[in-house]
Structures are given as C-alpha cells and as structure tokens.
Amino acid sequence: KDLSPQQFLLQEPLHSARSALLSLTASPEQQLRFSTSLAASARSSGQPHRALGWLDQAQRDLRKTESAVVQRGDVLRLYWERAQCLWEINEQREALAIAKAVTSE
C-alpha cells in the first residue's frame, strides 16, 4: 500500500532506526534489500529525492562489501529503482541510460 508523503515522513525515523540496526546485525544482502524496498516506498509516496538518498546510502554500503556476497538481481533492482526515481524528478536522460543498462543484463 502506498503511503501519503506525510505518512512516509512520520515513519521515516523508524525506518532510519531499523536501517541503523540492520547495518550492525544484518548481511549486506539484507541491508541492500531493505534500502531498495524503502526507496521504492519513498518514491511511491511522492518522495523521490528521499528515495535517492536511501539508494545512495545503499550504493555506499555496497561498495564496502564483496560483490560476491550480494546477488546480482538485488543490485539490478537497486539500479532499476534509481532509474525510476530519476524519471520522477525529470532526469529522463540519466534514467533511460540506467534502465537500458539494467535491461541489457
């Protein structure tokens, strides 16, 4: 279910706390899935810039891990979500470039 922008903003502190706990206890794969899911929720709630922030954090975390630990499908979902967020903020050229790269995989 999509949240309104206000509902998402009310829940964001809880998501931030959960993200911090996951960074301490969860596998990189679980962290990536959570961040990508949270970004999708933010985007669908009309918060594409917040979504991009979560995706940026996920990419920073991903760079710190061994790529063999994370499934390729999870990484592709991250990039697909980024493309959708960029499309939402009228960055169509960059969104299309990412979408083409993802679909060619």
Side-chain angles (χ1 to χ4, degrees):
K1 177 185 178 235
D2 291 343
L3 300 173
S4 72
Q6 295 81 13
Q7 289 171 320
F8 183 83
L9 291 174
L10 286 173
Q11 292 183 7
E12 191 172 25
L14 296 173
H15 296 310
S16 295
R18 184 172 177 201
S19 178
L21 290 172
L22 283 172
S23 72
L24 297 172
T25 61
S27 71
E29 186 174 57
Q30 290 171 316
Q31 291 175 45
L32 179 62
R33 287 178 180 169
F34 175 75
S35 295
T36 303
S37 174
L38 185 56
S41 179
R43 179 184 50 77
S44 68
S45 298
Q47 302 285 329
H49 289 93
R50 290 193 186 281
L52 287 169
W54 284 103
L55 294 171
D56 288 342
Q57 181 61 48
Q59 283 189 285
R60 283 191 295 275
D61 293 342
L62 187 60
R63 286 187 201 113
K64 295 177 191 174
T65 66
E66 296 178 30
S67 58
V69 174
V70 178
Q71 292 183 17
R72 185 153 187 77
D74 292 326
V75 175
L76 292 175
R77 273 188 284 285
L78 168 81
Y79 287 112
W80 182 251
E81 186 58 42
R82 177 174 291 285
Q84 292 179 85
C85 289
L86 291 168
W87 188 268
E88 292 280 326
I89 63 169
N90 295 317
E91 296 287 338
Q92 280 86 9
R93 184 174 295 192
E94 190 176 351
L96 287 172
I98 293 170
K100 286 178 185 177
V102 168
T103 57
S104 70
E105 287 292 320

